[in-house]
Amino acid sequence: MKIVVLTKHVPQAIGEVSFAQDLTMDRAAVRCRLEDSDEYAVEQATRVAARRLDVQVTALTMGPSGAVAALRSALALGADEGVHVLDDALHGCDAPATSLVLAAACRRLGFDLIICGTASADGAMSVVPPMLAERLAVPALCYCDWLGTAEDAVLGRRDDGTILEELTAAMPAVVSVTDRSGEPRYPRFEAVAEARHKLIRTWSLAELGIDAAHVGLSAAATAVRRITRPDPQPATVSGSDPQAAAVRIADFLTERQFL
């Protein structure tokens, strides 16, 4: 059985990257780490591997050279090997381009199960798992609070406290897991040391058969170069009569039972 775990390196603290940061700046300029939600994905992959025979867990990432640190963390948590898609053209990839690259890498690896976290700290969109499943033409079980496998199927469970959903899909499949799926293990010193010697392969876009014009900043007709925060505007109430404005505010609060 082949399991692919998607991993991503994100800034050590989102506050380290200015909101108005030039988007052409290399992410290597800030300290990065393995995305928290991906630790749960690696944990679930290793739990599946412990319950079945002959399971290979591959951690997959894409990004600049610093992204290899995320792979090393995943290897220390129990993944068997890593694959790093590294190409200058990847700079500025959006979610569709990311899913395109990851789908090509998963096809090349071969897989029975792809396990992802829910949403990254820097993107927070939760769209890559279903996009990936769509590109690979396989079922997707998203936001699973529990994950299990049968002989040829993957089982999931979602529980929002009100409704319990039992999910089943035939493998191959894509699954995303939440932070309620099981606490990630703390890597032992021996595991961290062993991770330094595990295999990490590096693939380019050309090796995946992807035209660089279809990803990154070159894929957009006009690229976003800078994001700036607008000046905050004080809340105002239309009208020049303070007494009338106070009455309108009181009526508004009374209608909604705040007063």
Side-chain angles (χ1 to χ4, degrees):
M1 181 181 183
K2 293 184 178 181
I3 301 177
V4 178
V5 183
L6 303 189
T7 62
K8 184 178 183 180
H9 78 305
V10 296
Q12 187 75 27
I14 297 301
E16 293 181 10
V17 183
S18 168
F19 188 87
Q21 165 191 326
D22 188 337
L23 295 185
T24 61
M25 188 184 83
D26 189 348
R27 176 166 286 198
V30 295
R31 293 180 60 191
C32 293
R33 58 173 173 78
L34 176 64
E35 162 60 36
D36 289 341
S37 65
D38 294 340
E39 293 184 7
Y40 292 90
V42 177
E43 175 65 23
Q44 290 307 307
T46 57
R47 291 188 185 189
V48 172
R51 295 192 295 263
R52 299 176 66 112
L53 298 176
D54 194 23
V55 177
Q56 177 81 5
V57 178
T58 301
L60 170 63
T61 195
M62 57 180 280
S65 57
V68 73
L71 288 181
R72 293 293 182 197
S73 296
L75 295 175
L77 290 171
D80 298 307
E81 64 173 12
V83 170
H84 182 190
V85 181
L86 176 63
D87 200 293
D88 290 341
L90 292 174
H91 182 67
C93 275
D94 57 9
T98 297
S99 64
L100 174 68
V101 174
L102 293 176
C106 288
R107 288 192 196 96
R108 184 173 183 182
L109 282 167
F111 65 93
D112 297 292
L113 187 61
I114 300 173
I115 305 179
C116 324
T118 48
S120 63
D122 56 347
M125 293 188 294
S126 306
V127 296
V128 169
M131 284 183 173
L132 183 62
E134 179 72 17
R135 291 189 183 278
L136 295 171
V138 299
L141 304 183
C142 297
Y143 298 102
C144 291
D145 299 319
W146 175 86
L147 175 65
T149 60
E151 183 175 354
D152 297 312
V154 58
L155 314 173
R157 183 181 301 147
R158 287 196 294 250
D159 185 0
D160 64 1
T162 303
I163 300 175
L164 176 64
E165 296 178 281
E166 301 281 354
L167 311 170
T168 305
M171 290 192 281
V174 175
V175 177
S176 68
V177 295
T178 71
D179 57 6
R180 291 178 290 187
S181 59
E183 194 67 23
R185 67 197 65 194
Y186 189 83
R188 297 175 292 105
F189 174 79
E190 294 84 355
V192 174
E194 183 183 350
R196 297 181 180 274
H197 303 287
K198 290 183 178 180
L199 174 65
I200 293 181
R201 289 174 280 174
T202 303
W203 293 344
S204 66
L205 290 179
E207 290 176 292
L208 295 177
I210 298 176
D211 188 338
H214 295 158
V215 301
L217 294 177
S218 60
T222 57
V224 176
R225 298 294 180 181
R226 183 177 291 274
I227 300 175
T228 57
R229 189 192 302 272
D231 294 332
Q233 298 295 326
T236 60
V237 178
S238 60
S240 58
D241 185 354
Q243 184 174 359
V247 171
R248 287 197 299 273
I249 292 174
D251 290 343
F252 175 85
L253 296 176
T254 301
E255 289 174 3
R256 286 158 179 77
Q257 298 181 349
F258 291 116
L259 292 179

